[in-house]
Amino acid sequence: MTVTIREIASYCNVSEGTVDRALNNRTGISSKTKERILAAAKKLDYKPNILAQCLATGSTKTIGVVCGGLSNRFFASLIEAIETNARNNGYFISLVLSHNSPVKELEGIHYLARRQADGIIIFPVGYGKAYEEELKQLNIPIVTLYNRISENFTHVDTDCRKIMREAVKHILLKGYKNIVYMDIKNYSGCTNEDINFFSLNERCQGYKEGMEQAGLNCRIVNKYDENLLISLASAPVRTAILCPYDVLAIKIVNFYRKIGIQIPSQIGIMGFDNIDMLENITPLISSVDCNTKKLGEIAFSILLEKITGTYTGGDVTVGYSFTEGESL
């Protein structure tokens, strides 16, 4: 049987109001009485009524996180960072996977709103006016990561376009004369619905701008083609492949190793995200560290300020660094 506040009050010979003050750390009670009540609650194995607390405080101490999937360690690492910061601040997360479907994403967001999550962090695959209006009507604090929706929702990310411009310079300084960009989307399992490709599009645009600044012609590849990869390794000028995410870079490195093409002497490769899996890949792939721990920390802290009504800022851009591997 669950022990109630009334039973603790009877046990300690005090009022229910006094017990409530002790259990909820409110004023109007002596330290001696508070200690006696807390000791009794522990002895009687009192468990607070979470639903009643939520109704009283208007807070569930839960935040929702909506993500397309976890096959890419970049997203998994971000969610781990969010969860750590949430837990350190007395919150738990409720994770919903949309499987890269805008329809399922909205279903998940509505699910979290109905269950009164205090706020939601979204890795959006949806976008557009109708999508925005539906989110606004929920009247719940929202922060977006990775893909941006619009100026109406605070967004946290690295400056992907700037990074790719700098990545082009970084590769050229290593003596490469040609850089091929692999514009292959990584939304595994996505349907034919319109998908928000904001982050990947920014990366591709940054590559274009970097190549233009360097006075070089762009070459953008839209599908994984092993025959093309073989031809790039035998190009007459020293060539590097720039990938928008590490999982693709790993796939290409593994293919080259399988057929005996040497990296970087025959072809250079650079990834993006610096996921922990790179530690197990030979050669070590050069990449971009997007500071996932900081991204998760800032996304949660902004959401928390939105929940308390104290956030007055806009979008936030987190710093980055290039990791020196063995693939360039």
Side-chain angles (χ1 to χ4, degrees):
M1 295 290 291
T2 302
V3 175
T4 65
I5 287 179
R6 177 177 294 180
E7 289 170 317
I8 296 174
S10 176
Y11 183 88
C12 296
N13 197 26
V14 296
S15 69
E16 292 180 33
T18 300
V19 174
D20 180 71
R21 291 187 186 94
L23 295 176
N24 292 288
N25 198 28
R26 298 193 179 101
T27 58
I29 181 175
S30 70
S31 58
K32 185 176 181 180
T33 301
K34 179 180 177 181
E35 289 175 10
R36 185 162 61 92
I37 292 170
L38 292 178
K42 183 176 181 180
K43 180 178 179 180
L44 297 172
D45 196 27
Y46 168 75
K47 298 292 190 301
N49 186 323
I50 301 299
L51 180 59
Q53 286 184 342
C54 293
L55 292 172
T57 63
S59 171
T60 60
K61 289 296 182 180
T62 300
I63 66 162
V65 178
V66 182
C67 181
L70 300 178
S71 59
N72 188 335
R73 275 295 300 168
F74 173 71
F75 297 116
S77 297
L78 262 177
I79 292 170
E80 287 174 2
I82 293 167
E83 194 278 336
T84 297
N85 284 276
R87 186 180 288 268
N88 290 342
N89 284 274
Y91 282 78
F92 286 88
I93 71 167
S94 181
L95 175 63
V96 172
L97 300 181
S98 70
H99 303 285
N100 299 315
S101 164
V103 171
K104 291 179 181 178
E105 181 172 84
L106 278 174
E107 288 175 354
I109 292 168
H110 281 286
Y111 169 89
L112 293 167
R114 287 195 302 270
R115 280 150 184 78
Q116 299 183 322
D118 292 339
I120 305 175
I121 295 175
I122 309 174
F123 299 68
V125 294
Y127 70 104
K129 291 297 181 183
Y131 178 85
E132 286 185 50
E133 288 304 314
E134 196 158 350
L135 294 187
K136 287 179 187 176
Q137 290 173 13
L138 295 175
N139 196 29
I140 186 171
I142 288 174
V143 171
T144 63
L145 269 171
Y146 193 70
N147 287 323
R148 187 174 185 267
I149 299 174
S150 75
E151 67 279 356
N152 294 314
F153 300 93
T154 304
H155 183 61
V156 180
D157 201 1
T158 51
D159 189 339
C160 295
R161 185 181 292 201
K162 177 184 177 182
I163 290 171
M164 281 306 196
R165 289 198 301 267
E166 295 300 315
V168 169
K169 295 178 185 177
H170 181 75
I171 294 170
L172 293 176
L173 285 173
K174 292 185 176 293
Y176 290 90
K177 304 300 181 183
N178 183 41
I179 303 173
V180 177
Y181 187 77
M182 305 297 284
D183 188 27
I184 301 173
K185 310 305 184 189
N186 64 331
Y187 283 59
S188 59
C190 69
T191 65
N192 293 324
E193 303 162 279
D194 286 340
I195 298 292
N196 188 335
F197 285 120
F198 176 84
S199 184
L200 291 178
N201 288 341
E202 285 289 286
R203 298 176 194 199
C204 186
Q205 187 61 35
Y207 160 78
K208 293 177 182 177
E209 293 170 356
M211 293 294 278
E212 182 180 353
Q213 290 172 3
L216 297 173
N217 292 325
C218 295
R219 184 171 183 185
I220 299 172
V221 177
N222 299 113
K223 66 177 182 178
Y224 183 81
D225 185 332
E226 292 182 347
N227 290 326
L228 172 66
L229 293 177
I230 293 171
S231 68
L232 291 177
S234 58
V237 296
R238 195 170 181 221
T239 299
I241 298 173
L242 180 55
C243 299
Y245 50 97
D246 286 334
V247 173
L248 178 57
I250 292 172
K251 183 176 182 179
I252 293 171
V253 165
N254 286 338
F255 169 70
Y256 279 141
R257 286 182 58 193
K258 180 180 176 181
I259 63 174
I261 289 177
Q262 300 300 307
I263 303 169
S265 59
Q266 292 178 267
I267 188 81
I269 298 174
M270 184 171 185
F272 194 114
D273 293 333
N274 195 34
I275 60 176
D276 52 13
M277 285 175 60
L278 296 188
E279 298 175 0
N280 303 315
I281 303 299
T282 302
L284 181 64
I285 299 172
S286 301
S287 187
V288 178
D289 190 332
C290 297
N291 205 342
T292 54
K293 288 185 179 179
K294 195 67 176 179
L295 282 170
E297 175 188 337
I298 291 176
F300 175 78
S301 66
I302 290 175
L303 185 65
L304 187 56
E305 288 185 38
K306 283 180 171 289
I307 290 168
T308 58
T310 58
Y311 189 71
T312 57
D315 293 350
V316 174
T317 301
V318 176
Y320 68 95
S321 61
F322 293 125
T323 64
E324 289 295 339
E326 303 161 337
S327 64
L328 283 178

